[in-house]
Amino acid sequence: MDKRLQHIIKLRENGQLEEANELMVALVKEEPENGYYHYQSAWTYDSLGKEKEAVPHYEKAIQLGLKPKILVEAYLGLGSTYRTLGKYDQAQRIFEQAISEFPEAEHLKVFYAMTLYNLAEHSKAMETLLNTVIHTTTDEGIKNYSKAIKFYSDKLDQTWE
């Protein structure tokens, strides 16, 4: 990572968000085909609460290509940003694409569940969250009941006599 980008990231981490954003925008103008710069630019916009400005940078970063570890985070950023903008269908599409490419990325599934909630797909949202809890927990109580939680995860509205 070059020194300019390291400096920008440090500024962002230290809460100097406007300055970080200005420098990042300038860096993207210098290298508009650098996907990683677009990803970092989107992140600076998100940090400022400027979600609308972040979207095209996330989209461009994904289009240009990123290393898998960064790509999964770009999908998360874009999907989450769409969700916060109320663009739930677009968020759902992004999260479903991301989960198909990175099925082991459990954190994506939590944000996907939030999107499903916003789309009033409450049963599917709960099923997604419950299965994510089962796969990620270290809690012994949840582990002990994981079969029951898994069984009921898609039967929350069902009753037995």
mmCIF file of all heavy atoms in Angstrom, residues 20-52:
data_model
loop_
_atom_site.group_PDB
_atom_site.id
_atom_site.type_symbol
_atom_site.label_atom_id
_atom_site.label_comp_id
_atom_site.label_asym_id
_atom_site.label_seq_id
_atom_site.Cartn_x
_atom_site.Cartn_y
_atom_site.Cartn_z
ATOM 1 N N ALA A 20 -9.609 13.181 5.026
ATOM 2 C CA ALA A 20 -9.389 11.863 4.423
ATOM 3 C C ALA A 20 -10.175 11.742 3.122
ATOM 4 O O ALA A 20 -9.656 11.247 2.109
ATOM 5 C CB ALA A 20 -9.795 10.762 5.400
ATOM 6 N N ASN A 21 -11.405 12.211 3.143
ATOM 7 C CA ASN A 21 -12.253 12.127 1.959
ATOM 8 C C ASN A 21 -11.699 12.973 0.817
ATOM 9 O O ASN A 21 -11.635 12.513 -0.327
ATOM 10 C CB ASN A 21 -13.685 12.534 2.304
ATOM 11 C CG ASN A 21 -14.616 12.425 1.129
ATOM 12 O OD1 ASN A 21 -15.011 13.421 0.556
ATOM 13 N ND2 ASN A 21 -14.957 11.201 0.750
ATOM 14 N N GLU A 22 -11.308 14.191 1.113
ATOM 15 C CA GLU A 22 -10.763 15.069 0.078
ATOM 16 C C GLU A 22 -9.535 14.448 -0.581
ATOM 17 O O GLU A 22 -9.404 14.458 -1.809
ATOM 18 C CB GLU A 22 -10.397 16.435 0.669
ATOM 19 C CG GLU A 22 -11.591 17.293 1.019
ATOM 20 C CD GLU A 22 -11.197 18.571 1.748
ATOM 21 O OE1 GLU A 22 -10.041 19.028 1.583
ATOM 22 O OE2 GLU A 22 -12.047 19.116 2.465
ATOM 23 N N LEU A 23 -8.644 13.903 0.240
ATOM 24 C CA LEU A 23 -7.430 13.289 -0.297
ATOM 25 C C LEU A 23 -7.749 12.021 -1.096
ATOM 26 O O LEU A 23 -7.133 11.753 -2.128
ATOM 27 C CB LEU A 23 -6.448 12.978 0.831
ATOM 28 C CG LEU A 23 -5.849 14.185 1.545
ATOM 29 C CD1 LEU A 23 -5.052 13.749 2.765
ATOM 30 C CD2 LEU A 23 -4.971 14.993 0.577
ATOM 31 N N MET A 24 -8.732 11.269 -0.635
ATOM 32 C CA MET A 24 -9.114 10.042 -1.328
ATOM 33 C C MET A 24 -9.744 10.350 -2.672
ATOM 34 O O MET A 24 -9.463 9.683 -3.672
ATOM 35 C CB MET A 24 -10.056 9.224 -0.444
ATOM 36 C CG MET A 24 -10.168 7.770 -0.831
ATOM 37 S SD MET A 24 -8.624 6.866 -0.623
ATOM 38 C CE MET A 24 -8.359 6.304 -2.287
ATOM 39 N N VAL A 25 -10.582 11.374 -2.721
ATOM 40 C CA VAL A 25 -11.196 11.792 -3.987
ATOM 41 C C VAL A 25 -10.104 12.197 -4.981
ATOM 42 O O VAL A 25 -10.172 11.829 -6.161
ATOM 43 C CB VAL A 25 -12.212 12.933 -3.753
ATOM 44 C CG1 VAL A 25 -12.632 13.584 -5.062
ATOM 45 C CG2 VAL A 25 -13.433 12.402 -3.003
ATOM 46 N N ALA A 26 -9.108 12.914 -4.521
ATOM 47 C CA ALA A 26 -7.999 13.325 -5.391
ATOM 48 C C ALA A 26 -7.226 12.108 -5.903
ATOM 49 O O ALA A 26 -6.849 12.053 -7.082
ATOM 50 C CB ALA A 26 -7.065 14.274 -4.646
ATOM 51 N N LEU A 27 -7.039 11.132 -5.029
ATOM 52 C CA LEU A 27 -6.306 9.915 -5.415
ATOM 53 C C LEU A 27 -7.085 9.130 -6.476
ATOM 54 O O LEU A 27 -6.501 8.623 -7.438
ATOM 55 C CB LEU A 27 -6.060 9.068 -4.170
ATOM 56 C CG LEU A 27 -4.930 8.066 -4.189
ATOM 57 C CD1 LEU A 27 -3.608 8.701 -4.591
ATOM 58 C CD2 LEU A 27 -4.791 7.429 -2.806
ATOM 59 N N VAL A 28 -8.400 9.060 -6.328
ATOM 60 C CA VAL A 28 -9.238 8.371 -7.318
ATOM 61 C C VAL A 28 -9.173 9.095 -8.662
ATOM 62 O O VAL A 28 -9.138 8.448 -9.714
ATOM 63 C CB VAL A 28 -10.696 8.236 -6.822
ATOM 64 C CG1 VAL A 28 -11.634 7.841 -7.946
ATOM 65 C CG2 VAL A 28 -10.786 7.234 -5.678
ATOM 66 N N LYS A 29 -9.133 10.428 -8.634
ATOM 67 C CA LYS A 29 -9.033 11.183 -9.890
ATOM 68 C C LYS A 29 -7.724 10.883 -10.608
ATOM 69 O O LYS A 29 -7.669 10.844 -11.830
ATOM 70 C CB LYS A 29 -9.161 12.683 -9.619
ATOM 71 C CG LYS A 29 -10.586 13.116 -9.380
ATOM 72 C CD LYS A 29 -10.705 14.608 -9.170
ATOM 73 C CE LYS A 29 -12.154 14.967 -8.853
ATOM 74 N NZ LYS A 29 -12.304 16.379 -8.496
ATOM 75 N N GLU A 30 -6.650 10.679 -9.835
ATOM 76 C CA GLU A 30 -5.348 10.343 -10.420
ATOM 77 C C GLU A 30 -5.344 8.944 -11.030
ATOM 78 O O GLU A 30 -4.691 8.721 -12.048
ATOM 79 C CB GLU A 30 -4.246 10.399 -9.351
ATOM 80 C CG GLU A 30 -3.821 11.773 -8.950
ATOM 81 C CD GLU A 30 -2.742 11.732 -7.878
ATOM 82 O OE1 GLU A 30 -1.897 10.808 -7.889
ATOM 83 O OE2 GLU A 30 -2.750 12.627 -7.017
ATOM 84 N N GLU A 31 -6.042 8.015 -10.371
ATOM 85 C CA GLU A 31 -6.054 6.618 -10.828
ATOM 86 C C GLU A 31 -7.492 6.089 -10.855
ATOM 87 O O GLU A 31 -7.876 5.281 -10.018
ATOM 88 C CB GLU A 31 -5.187 5.748 -9.925
ATOM 89 C CG GLU A 31 -3.713 6.071 -9.997
ATOM 90 C CD GLU A 31 -2.855 5.042 -9.288
ATOM 91 O OE1 GLU A 31 -3.078 3.832 -9.487
ATOM 92 O OE2 GLU A 31 -1.964 5.465 -8.534
ATOM 93 N N PRO A 32 -8.279 6.540 -11.829
ATOM 94 C CA PRO A 32 -9.702 6.180 -11.861
ATOM 95 C C PRO A 32 -9.972 4.703 -12.144
ATOM 96 O O PRO A 32 -11.092 4.240 -11.951
ATOM 97 C CB PRO A 32 -10.273 7.070 -12.969
ATOM 98 C CG PRO A 32 -9.107 7.406 -13.827
ATOM 99 C CD PRO A 32 -7.918 7.455 -12.911
ATOM 100 N N GLU A 33 -8.974 3.952 -12.559
ATOM 101 C CA GLU A 33 -9.167 2.523 -12.841
ATOM 102 C C GLU A 33 -8.632 1.640 -11.715
ATOM 103 O O GLU A 33 -8.483 0.428 -11.890
ATOM 104 C CB GLU A 33 -8.511 2.148 -14.177
ATOM 105 C CG GLU A 33 -9.102 2.889 -15.371
ATOM 106 C CD GLU A 33 -10.605 2.681 -15.517
ATOM 107 O OE1 GLU A 33 -11.027 1.510 -15.555
ATOM 108 O OE2 GLU A 33 -11.352 3.688 -15.579
ATOM 109 N N ASN A 34 -8.364 2.244 -10.566
ATOM 110 C CA ASN A 34 -7.876 1.490 -9.415
ATOM 111 C C ASN A 34 -9.080 1.130 -8.528
ATOM 112 O O ASN A 34 -9.626 1.985 -7.832
ATOM 113 C CB ASN A 34 -6.845 2.320 -8.643
ATOM 114 C CG ASN A 34 -6.195 1.560 -7.510
ATOM 115 O OD1 ASN A 34 -6.851 0.814 -6.782
ATOM 116 N ND2 ASN A 34 -4.895 1.747 -7.352
ATOM 117 N N GLY A 35 -9.488 -0.129 -8.582
ATOM 118 C CA GLY A 35 -10.647 -0.576 -7.814
ATOM 119 C C GLY A 35 -10.482 -0.403 -6.321
ATOM 120 O O GLY A 35 -11.435 -0.045 -5.620
ATOM 121 N N TYR A 36 -9.274 -0.641 -5.826
ATOM 122 C CA TYR A 36 -9.043 -0.510 -4.386
ATOM 123 C C TYR A 36 -9.197 0.939 -3.948
ATOM 124 O O TYR A 36 -9.736 1.198 -2.871
ATOM 125 C CB TYR A 36 -7.657 -1.043 -4.014
ATOM 126 C CG TYR A 36 -7.445 -1.123 -2.527
ATOM 127 C CD1 TYR A 36 -8.206 -1.996 -1.738
ATOM 128 C CD2 TYR A 36 -6.496 -0.323 -1.897
ATOM 129 C CE1 TYR A 36 -8.018 -2.073 -0.369
ATOM 130 C CE2 TYR A 36 -6.305 -0.398 -0.529
ATOM 131 C CZ TYR A 36 -7.059 -1.271 0.225
ATOM 132 O OH TYR A 36 -6.878 -1.342 1.585
ATOM 133 N N TYR A 37 -8.785 1.884 -4.765
ATOM 134 C CA TYR A 37 -8.966 3.299 -4.433
ATOM 135 C C TYR A 37 -10.452 3.659 -4.391
ATOM 136 O O TYR A 37 -10.889 4.415 -3.531
ATOM 137 C CB TYR A 37 -8.224 4.193 -5.424
ATOM 138 C CG TYR A 37 -6.726 4.247 -5.251
ATOM 139 C CD1 TYR A 37 -6.080 3.530 -4.245
ATOM 140 C CD2 TYR A 37 -5.935 5.002 -6.096
ATOM 141 C CE1 TYR A 37 -4.696 3.579 -4.091
ATOM 142 C CE2 TYR A 37 -4.559 5.064 -5.946
ATOM 143 C CZ TYR A 37 -3.945 4.344 -4.955
ATOM 144 O OH TYR A 37 -2.590 4.412 -4.799
ATOM 145 N N HIS A 38 -11.225 3.122 -5.323
ATOM 146 C CA HIS A 38 -12.666 3.374 -5.307
ATOM 147 C C HIS A 38 -13.292 2.790 -4.031
ATOM 148 O O HIS A 38 -14.155 3.426 -3.417
ATOM 149 C CB HIS A 38 -13.344 2.798 -6.549
ATOM 150 C CG HIS A 38 -13.219 3.665 -7.752
ATOM 151 N ND1 HIS A 38 -14.020 4.763 -7.949
ATOM 152 C CD2 HIS A 38 -12.371 3.607 -8.806
ATOM 153 C CE1 HIS A 38 -13.683 5.348 -9.079
ATOM 154 N NE2 HIS A 38 -12.686 4.659 -9.624
ATOM 155 N N TYR A 39 -12.852 1.612 -3.651
ATOM 156 C CA TYR A 39 -13.356 0.997 -2.418
ATOM 157 C C TYR A 39 -13.046 1.885 -1.209
ATOM 158 O O TYR A 39 -13.927 2.165 -0.389
ATOM 159 C CB TYR A 39 -12.733 -0.393 -2.244
ATOM 160 C CG TYR A 39 -12.918 -0.975 -0.875
ATOM 161 C CD1 TYR A 39 -14.180 -1.393 -0.442
ATOM 162 C CD2 TYR A 39 -11.846 -1.096 -0.006
ATOM 163 C CE1 TYR A 39 -14.358 -1.928 0.825
ATOM 164 C CE2 TYR A 39 -12.020 -1.631 1.254
ATOM 165 C CZ TYR A 39 -13.275 -2.043 1.672
ATOM 166 O OH TYR A 39 -13.442 -2.563 2.932
ATOM 167 N N GLN A 40 -11.830 2.360 -1.119
ATOM 168 C CA GLN A 40 -11.436 3.230 -0.008
ATOM 169 C C GLN A 40 -12.188 4.559 -0.060
ATOM 170 O O GLN A 40 -12.562 5.116 0.975
ATOM 171 C CB GLN A 40 -9.919 3.460 -0.009
ATOM 172 C CG GLN A 40 -9.114 2.251 0.389
ATOM 173 C CD GLN A 40 -9.308 1.866 1.844
ATOM 174 O OE1 GLN A 40 -9.650 2.682 2.693
ATOM 175 N NE2 GLN A 40 -9.082 0.595 2.147
ATOM 176 N N SER A 41 -12.431 5.054 -1.259
ATOM 177 C CA SER A 41 -13.192 6.297 -1.406
ATOM 178 C C SER A 41 -14.623 6.100 -0.913
ATOM 179 O O SER A 41 -15.169 6.950 -0.194
ATOM 180 C CB SER A 41 -13.183 6.745 -2.869
ATOM 181 O OG SER A 41 -13.825 7.985 -2.997
ATOM 182 N N ALA A 42 -15.237 4.980 -1.287
ATOM 183 C CA ALA A 42 -16.590 4.679 -0.813
ATOM 184 C C ALA A 42 -16.612 4.647 0.704
ATOM 185 O O ALA A 42 -17.536 5.179 1.340
ATOM 186 C CB ALA A 42 -17.057 3.340 -1.386
ATOM 187 N N TRP A 43 -15.608 4.048 1.284
ATOM 188 C CA TRP A 43 -15.521 3.932 2.740
ATOM 189 C C TRP A 43 -15.433 5.311 3.389
ATOM 190 O O TRP A 43 -16.072 5.582 4.399
ATOM 191 C CB TRP A 43 -14.324 3.072 3.114
ATOM 192 C CG TRP A 43 -14.271 2.599 4.529
ATOM 193 C CD1 TRP A 43 -15.017 3.023 5.597
ATOM 194 C CD2 TRP A 43 -13.417 1.593 5.050
ATOM 195 N NE1 TRP A 43 -14.669 2.352 6.731
ATOM 196 C CE2 TRP A 43 -13.681 1.454 6.420
ATOM 197 C CE3 TRP A 43 -12.421 0.797 4.479
ATOM 198 C CZ2 TRP A 43 -13.009 0.569 7.250
ATOM 199 C CZ3 TRP A 43 -11.757 -0.096 5.305
ATOM 200 C CH2 TRP A 43 -12.052 -0.212 6.664
ATOM 201 N N THR A 44 -14.661 6.220 2.784
ATOM 202 C CA THR A 44 -14.571 7.566 3.372
ATOM 203 C C THR A 44 -15.908 8.297 3.277
ATOM 204 O O THR A 44 -16.298 8.995 4.209
ATOM 205 C CB THR A 44 -13.448 8.426 2.745
ATOM 206 O OG1 THR A 44 -13.710 8.638 1.373
ATOM 207 C CG2 THR A 44 -12.074 7.798 2.943
ATOM 208 N N TYR A 45 -16.609 8.115 2.162
ATOM 209 C CA TYR A 45 -17.937 8.733 2.049
ATOM 210 C C TYR A 45 -18.897 8.143 3.083
ATOM 211 O O TYR A 45 -19.645 8.872 3.729
ATOM 212 C CB TYR A 45 -18.524 8.547 0.647
ATOM 213 C CG TYR A 45 -18.033 9.559 -0.364
ATOM 214 C CD1 TYR A 45 -17.310 9.151 -1.478
ATOM 215 C CD2 TYR A 45 -18.309 10.908 -0.207
ATOM 216 C CE1 TYR A 45 -16.863 10.074 -2.417
ATOM 217 C CE2 TYR A 45 -17.873 11.844 -1.138
ATOM 218 C CZ TYR A 45 -17.148 11.418 -2.239
ATOM 219 O OH TYR A 45 -16.712 12.344 -3.159
ATOM 220 N N ASP A 46 -18.886 6.816 3.229
ATOM 221 C CA ASP A 46 -19.737 6.178 4.241
ATOM 222 C C ASP A 46 -19.418 6.705 5.635
ATOM 223 O O ASP A 46 -20.319 6.946 6.431
ATOM 224 C CB ASP A 46 -19.556 4.658 4.223
ATOM 225 C CG ASP A 46 -20.620 3.943 3.409
ATOM 226 O OD1 ASP A 46 -21.631 4.572 3.041
ATOM 227 O OD2 ASP A 46 -20.441 2.744 3.150
ATOM 228 N N SER A 47 -18.154 6.875 5.927
ATOM 229 C CA SER A 47 -17.737 7.375 7.246
ATOM 230 C C SER A 47 -18.285 8.766 7.526
ATOM 231 O O SER A 47 -18.535 9.124 8.681
ATOM 232 C CB SER A 47 -16.200 7.412 7.344
ATOM 233 O OG SER A 47 -15.665 6.121 7.232
ATOM 234 N N LEU A 48 -18.482 9.529 6.475
ATOM 235 C CA LEU A 48 -19.035 10.881 6.594
ATOM 236 C C LEU A 48 -20.566 10.899 6.606
ATOM 237 O O LEU A 48 -21.166 11.952 6.738
ATOM 238 C CB LEU A 48 -18.539 11.751 5.437
ATOM 239 C CG LEU A 48 -17.100 12.210 5.506
ATOM 240 C CD1 LEU A 48 -16.646 12.761 4.159
ATOM 241 C CD2 LEU A 48 -16.934 13.263 6.594
ATOM 242 N N GLY A 49 -21.172 9.735 6.436
ATOM 243 C CA GLY A 49 -22.631 9.681 6.349
ATOM 244 C C GLY A 49 -23.147 10.119 4.993
ATOM 245 O O GLY A 49 -24.312 10.493 4.849
ATOM 246 N N LYS A 50 -22.284 10.068 3.985
ATOM 247 C CA LYS A 50 -22.660 10.454 2.618
ATOM 248 C C LYS A 50 -22.834 9.189 1.777
ATOM 249 O O LYS A 50 -22.072 8.924 0.845
ATOM 250 C CB LYS A 50 -21.598 11.376 2.017
ATOM 251 C CG LYS A 50 -21.476 12.704 2.741
ATOM 252 C CD LYS A 50 -20.430 13.588 2.098
ATOM 253 C CE LYS A 50 -20.377 14.942 2.777
ATOM 254 N NZ LYS A 50 -19.411 15.838 2.121
ATOM 255 N N GLU A 51 -23.869 8.430 2.137
ATOM 256 C CA GLU A 51 -24.084 7.125 1.513
ATOM 257 C C GLU A 51 -24.318 7.224 0.005
ATOM 258 O O GLU A 51 -23.815 6.388 -0.757
ATOM 259 C CB GLU A 51 -25.244 6.394 2.189
ATOM 260 C CG GLU A 51 -24.908 5.822 3.541
ATOM 261 C CD GLU A 51 -24.925 6.834 4.689
ATOM 262 O OE1 GLU A 51 -25.339 7.996 4.479
ATOM 263 O OE2 GLU A 51 -24.512 6.457 5.796
ATOM 264 N N LYS A 52 -25.080 8.223 -0.434
ATOM 265 C CA LYS A 52 -25.361 8.351 -1.866
ATOM 266 C C LYS A 52 -24.071 8.514 -2.669
ATOM 267 O O LYS A 52 -23.955 7.990 -3.779
ATOM 268 C CB LYS A 52 -26.288 9.533 -2.142
ATOM 269 C CG LYS A 52 -27.722 9.267 -1.753
ATOM 270 C CD LYS A 52 -28.610 10.450 -2.076
ATOM 271 C CE LYS A 52 -30.020 10.187 -1.591
ATOM 272 N NZ LYS A 52 -30.904 11.325 -1.786
#
